[in-house]
Amino acid sequence: MEKLKPEKALEMLRKKGVDISLEQAVQVLELLRKFANIMVSQYLDSQRRA
């Protein structure tokens, strides 16, 4: 799966009225990827214990 590029995220956010810089879009994507990794790890851990 291809990663969402900061430029595309910026475009999507601006369409929703969120005005941020490209650097902020990079930071948002990094944070969302960290959250996603944590959620997947927690889910997989819970499945192994079940």
Side-chain angles (χ1 to χ4, degrees):
M1 177 183 255
E2 188 175 324
K3 289 184 178 180
L4 180 64
K5 297 198 181 333
E7 295 81 7
K8 180 65 177 173
L10 185 63
E11 176 187 334
M12 292 167 66
L13 289 168
R14 285 189 174 159
K15 283 183 181 178
K16 295 293 183 180
V18 180
D19 188 26
I20 63 173
S21 69
L22 183 58
E23 179 58 36
Q24 288 171 318
V26 169
Q27 292 173 345
V28 167
L29 287 175
E30 288 173 357
L31 181 62
L32 289 175
R33 287 183 185 119
K34 286 179 184 180
F35 283 151
N37 285 334
I38 290 168
M39 292 175 66
V40 169
S41 293
Q42 287 180 347
Y43 174 77
L44 293 175
D45 286 344
S46 71
Q47 294 300 304
R48 283 188 215 123
R49 292 185 196 134

